[in-house]
Amino acid sequence: MSMQINNPTLLTPTTNNDSTKVQSTANVENKGSTDEKAANKESDIKLSSRAHKIQMLNEEFFPGGPASVAITPGFIQRLHEYGFISDTELEKLDVAKSEEQKPSGTLGELSKKIDSLSDRLTSESPDDSLIGILTRADAIINNLDGSKPSPLTGDIKTVSAELNAYMGSSDADKLADAEKKMMDELSLTLKIADKLNPNNASSQKLNSYLSFM
């Protein structure tokens, strides 16, 4: 007489377990999707707020474009109020406390000084590395309000670092005292430009917000 052994483990279908696993995976995916949407929404809110603050800066300090702007203590203070610079950065950037960096005019006048120095160097020392630095720096300050973006305006930190390195080298000895003072003013302006740079957030999204404001 043969014996028949029923194995419930082998005969029981695994549909329920599979269904549970699928449901669990779906829950994880849904949670991830929800978290991602929440993060994107928070990012959009921050960008919208940043865009609004930049728009207010434009209205108060850029009515005639970057050429009409002077980096004054009032401008620095407004950057601090809007959260573009910290308390520590405010101390470093406060031009009222640093006569060496105190601007002598508008950014339009600074741009003309840059052009003049570039022309002199091109004539006297066409291989001088400062020429390329000044070209990029000039493009950056003329895009301070975001109205003239170009490939030259992207990497502000690198331009600023290159300028500081040049001024700390013996190559800077060929500059006149007035030109060195202008370099201090340019260095300060580049720091400001970096704080306003849309790449500190998301340039594509920020520019899209600004285009509707």
Side-chain angles (χ1 to χ4, degrees), residues 36-53:
E36 184 178 354
K37 288 180 180 179
N40 288 337
K41 183 176 181 179
E42 182 179 357
S43 176
D44 287 346
I45 291 174
K46 289 180 179 179
L47 285 170
S48 178
S49 175
R50 178 183 173 88
H52 180 61
K53 290 174 182 177

Side-chain angles (χ1 to χ4, degrees), residues 113-131:
K113 293 177 184 177
I114 291 174
D115 289 341
S116 177
L117 177 56
S118 294
D119 289 343
R120 181 176 77 77
L121 292 175
T122 299
S123 175
E124 299 175 2
S125 307
D127 295 328
D128 197 308
S129 62
L130 184 57
I131 297 172

Side-chain angles (χ1 to χ4, degrees), residues 54-111:
I54 289 179
Q55 181 65 20
M56 289 192 294
L57 282 173
N58 287 346
E59 292 174 357
E60 183 175 1
F61 295 100
F62 297 77
S68 63
V69 177
I71 306 299
T72 62
F75 181 63
I76 298 290
Q77 184 62 42
R78 192 72 77 243
L79 291 177
H80 178 253
E81 290 176 8
Y82 289 168
F84 287 102
I85 60 176
S86 65
D87 292 342
T88 302
E89 289 167 335
L90 175 64
E91 292 294 326
K92 292 180 180 179
L93 294 174
D94 193 347
V95 293
K97 297 179 181 178
S98 176
E99 288 299 323
E100 288 184 357
Q101 290 186 328
K102 189 172 183 179
S104 57
T106 65
L107 295 190
E109 293 168 337
L110 175 60
S111 182

Side-chain angles (χ1 to χ4, degrees), residues 117-184:
L117 177 56
S118 294
D119 289 343
R120 181 176 77 77
L121 292 175
T122 299
S123 175
E124 299 175 2
S125 307
D127 295 328
D128 197 308
S129 62
L130 184 57
I131 297 172
I133 296 172
L134 291 176
T135 298
R136 287 178 287 158
D138 193 39
I140 289 168
I141 67 174
N142 281 293
N143 184 50
L144 196 67
D145 63 347
S147 63
K148 298 178 181 178
S150 76
L152 296 176
T153 64
D155 198 350
I156 300 175
K157 284 184 171 62
T158 297
V159 177
S160 183
E162 290 178 358
L163 177 62
N164 291 336
Y166 184 94
M167 294 307 297
S169 71
S170 58
D171 292 334
D173 294 342
K174 65 172 67 88
L175 300 179
D177 289 341
E179 292 170 338
K180 290 179 180 179
K181 183 178 180 182
M182 187 261 284
M183 292 296 98
D184 288 334

Side-chain angles (χ1 to χ4, degrees), residues 5-12:
I5 299 175
N6 294 327
N7 190 330
T9 302
L10 295 177
L11 298 177
T12 303

